[in-house]
Amino acid sequence: MRATDFITDASFWIPDLFVPSAWTEHAPFAFWLVQQHRPSCLVELGTHHGFSFLALAQAVANLKTGTRCFAIDTWKGDEHAGLYGEDVYQSLSERISRRYSSFCQLVRSTFDEAVVYFPDSSIDLLHIDGRHFYDDVLHDFETWLPKLSTRAVVLFHDVAVREREFGAIKVWNELKQKYPHFEFVHGWGLGVLGVGNDLPEVVRSLFMANGRTELAAEIRDIYGRLGSGLLELSNRLASGSEIDRLKEAIAEAEVEKQRLANEITSIAQDRARLSNELQVAL
């Protein structure tokens, strides 16, 4: 095996949409995974602004995999993501409606409430990125485990975070003792867990690469570099958007300045006219 065996054209795609996210650097691997795995059903637990879900949906659309995609969230926030308003959900809903409504659905619910609507052994790709305390991450995995198919891969975000009582790393360290796995450390960490025993050959090869230190390091380095490039692009676009907003505000201020100047001129002309009329009258 070589590192290039785990890189395809999809790894170099640029996301169609950038939104605020700690997941930006994992889009290249997400594109590759959808291309190689071709899940029939994809579920995301914890979506927030939706970058990861939008990236996965983009891959599904580009590759025409026929995947049914579900994003489950209350869209209210929590201790780690912070609390936020209704505008976050509305913005994502509009984006999904414009691009991916034929195969994507936003499920506004708690994870425990939503699980009953998915048949056992039906989910091929599960992304866990909800509340990040240890008990919550473990509970989410165990609750959804019966719903995973024989082809199931589970993604865990933030497995490299060691602060603010993030428990994903502890759950990850326990689960990777039991299942085939691969781990990325960039972008706050992404754990890839092979739960199913009927995975595509190339996905199984990725887990086998984990046992070869040099090869695993090369794969991590490649995707770390690709992710870093996307993060830089995202930051530039955000800066560009801010500059555009400032330019627009300046333009609006200039228009208002001109309007006020014209109004002042008009008032001065009216005063002069009235003054002349008064002198004539006297």
Side-chain angles (χ1 to χ4, degrees):
M1 287 187 292
R2 299 172 299 176
T4 51
D5 294 335
F6 304 98
I7 309 296
T8 65
D9 60 323
S11 307
F12 297 90
W13 289 347
I14 302 298
D16 289 336
L17 294 167
F18 284 101
V19 294
S21 177
W23 218 86
T24 302
E25 294 174 82
H26 298 300
F29 177 74
F31 293 150
W32 177 87
L33 182 61
V34 172
Q35 185 181 50
Q36 301 302 319
H37 186 214
R38 305 185 76 85
S40 62
C41 179
L42 180 161
V43 173
E44 179 172 84
L45 305 180
T47 298
H48 201 171
H49 289 289
F51 178 82
S52 55
F53 190 66
L54 290 167
L56 292 165
Q58 178 181 337
V60 168
N62 288 355
L63 297 164
K64 298 179 173 58
T65 61
T67 309
R68 292 167 296 125
C69 303
F70 302 90
I72 302 171
D73 202 317
T74 61
W75 279 279
K76 294 180 180 179
D78 57 35
E79 294 89 335
H80 293 133
L83 302 178
Y84 44 86
E86 182 69 13
D87 58 308
V88 173
Y89 171 78
Q90 292 299 334
S91 177
L92 177 59
S93 181
E94 290 170 6
R95 287 187 169 100
I96 294 296
S97 296
R98 286 197 303 268
R99 292 172 177 260
Y100 308 123
S101 60
S102 63
F103 61 89
C104 285
Q105 182 178 350
L106 303 184
V107 181
R108 201 163 195 182
S109 165
T110 65
F111 305 157
D112 286 357
E113 290 170 343
V115 71
V116 299
Y117 296 105
F118 292 84
D120 287 354
S121 305
S122 64
I123 299 172
D124 293 333
L125 182 57
L126 178 67
H127 176 214
I128 297 178
D129 195 15
R131 202 162 175 258
H132 283 71
F133 293 111
Y134 171 83
D135 290 340
D136 295 301
V137 179
L138 182 61
H139 174 79
D140 292 340
F141 176 75
E142 293 179 339
T143 300
W144 287 80
L145 184 58
K147 307 302 176 180
L148 302 181
S149 75
T150 58
R151 301 182 65 249
V153 170
V154 182
L155 302 178
F156 293 85
H157 190 222
D158 292 319
V159 296
V161 180
R162 294 172 169 83
E163 59 184 61
R164 292 188 293 153
E165 297 183 78
F166 271 61
I169 185 172
K170 184 177 179 181
V171 176
W172 173 249
N173 286 336
E174 292 174 359
L175 292 176
K176 70 183 185 180
Q177 304 303 318
K178 306 175 183 178
Y179 297 95
H181 62 279
F182 195 88
E183 180 179 348
F184 294 100
V185 297
H186 67 281
W188 307 106
L190 185 71
V192 188
L193 201 70
V195 176
N197 54 18
D198 188 24
L199 295 169
E201 180 66 29
V202 69
V203 177
R204 285 193 284 115
S205 295
L206 176 68
F207 298 137
M208 292 173 61
N210 195 58
R212 297 173 56 178
T213 304
E214 187 174 334
L215 175 61
E218 289 180 16
I219 296 170
R220 292 190 185 100
D221 181 64
I222 290 170
Y223 276 105
R225 290 172 182 270
L226 290 173
S228 178
L230 281 189
L231 183 61
E232 183 179 346
L233 174 60
S234 175
N235 290 337
R236 287 207 308 270
L237 290 173
S239 297
S241 297
E242 182 62 27
I243 291 172
D244 289 341
R245 285 193 291 271
L246 289 172
K247 286 181 177 178
E248 185 177 335
I250 292 171
E252 291 175 353
E254 287 295 330
V255 170
E256 180 64 11
K257 176 183 175 182
Q258 187 60 49
R259 186 189 68 79
L260 290 172
N262 292 340
E263 187 173 322
I264 291 170
T265 299
S266 178
I267 291 173
Q269 290 173 345
D270 287 343
R271 289 181 61 184
R273 179 179 58 79
L274 290 172
S275 178
N276 291 336
E277 291 178 352
L278 182 61
Q279 289 179 4
V280 170
L282 293 174

